[in-house]
Amino acid sequence: MDIATLKALNAAKRERHGAVLVTDIAAGTSRLVAEDQVPADALGADVAERLLSGKSGMIEVDGRSVFLNVHLPPPRIVVIGAVHISQALAPMAALAGFAVTIIDPRTAFATPERFAGLDLRADWPDDVFATMQLDRYSAMVAVTHDPKIDDPGLTAALKAGCFYVGALGSRKTHAKRVERLAEAGFDAETIARIRAPIGLDIAASTPAEIAVAITAEIIQSLRRRSLVSASTSDEASA
């Protein structure tokens, strides 16, 4: 790997951007393909598949052996609400490879005893997001039922383009949420990105079952997220 490619890879890691190091085995040459610069060709299809799966591996392109080394930021889940669902969700998400942060200003709920070993923030979401950067590898889960606590998290997630945004609540509750977000300046398409009711429809009823449904939906969203093609990226910057 040459110095320029190494610098580009290190920059992608610092900025939490996905990228694939493409190495021609016979030639011994490498180039870096960023997630938002995937070419619209046969190689690009393989690169996109690897970016979604997160798995590196060897492929054949025009009779040449090419190794695709995938570099993805560690995905994370930010949960607004230190509730029973969060207690079940956190260990499941950790087992699935996600870093988990719990945010809740209610110190009676946000205690180290209930969330041992986790990144627990007993602060208002607005204060947390003043220093915490969300991105395309972040998932947002809002489960407090309290707009004063949930809405700042949803707002931050929608602005950051998180790959998953979900909120607990009935259809009536969500309708009011939609009204508030529209009044805050979000368009209908952006608001529609919120998964509500939250989680895959598995007829979940207990906190643990709801946590399973949420975890599954987050994994599905991560593995089926949209990638920005090179042509789309070029058009956007034109």
Side-chain angles (χ1 to χ4, degrees), residues 85 203-212:
I85 292 173
S205 61
T206 68
E209 290 174 351
I210 295 170
V212 169

Side-chain angles (χ1 to χ4, degrees), residues 7-19:
K7 287 183 177 179
L9 177 58
N10 287 336
K13 290 180 177 180
R14 286 196 304 271
E15 296 165 10
R16 284 180 56 83
H17 292 167

Side-chain angles (χ1 to χ4, degrees), residues 19-37:
V20 176
L21 185 65
V22 181
T23 301
D24 185 314
I25 300 302
T29 57
S30 299
R31 65 186 178 97
L32 193 70
V33 178
E35 182 167 321
D36 60 355
Q37 291 293 328

Side-chain angles (χ1 to χ4, degrees), residues 137-148:
Y137 285 88
S138 302
M140 177 64 63
V141 175
V143 290
T144 73
H145 288 291
D146 187 338
K148 297 190 303 296

Side-chain angles (χ1 to χ4, degrees), residues 20 22 31 33-35 37-55 57-62 66 68 70 223 225-231:
V20 176
V22 181
R31 65 186 178 97
V33 178
E35 182 167 321
Q37 291 293 328
V38 177
D41 57 17
L43 176 61
D46 283 304
V47 169
E49 181 181 346
R50 299 287 177 167
L51 282 166
L52 292 177
S53 70
K55 295 180 179 179
M58 192 80 70
I59 63 170
E60 293 291 323
V61 180
D62 298 329
V66 177
L68 303 181
V70 183
R223 298 307 178 198
R225 69 192 186 280
S226 297
L227 300 178
V228 181
S229 68
S231 58

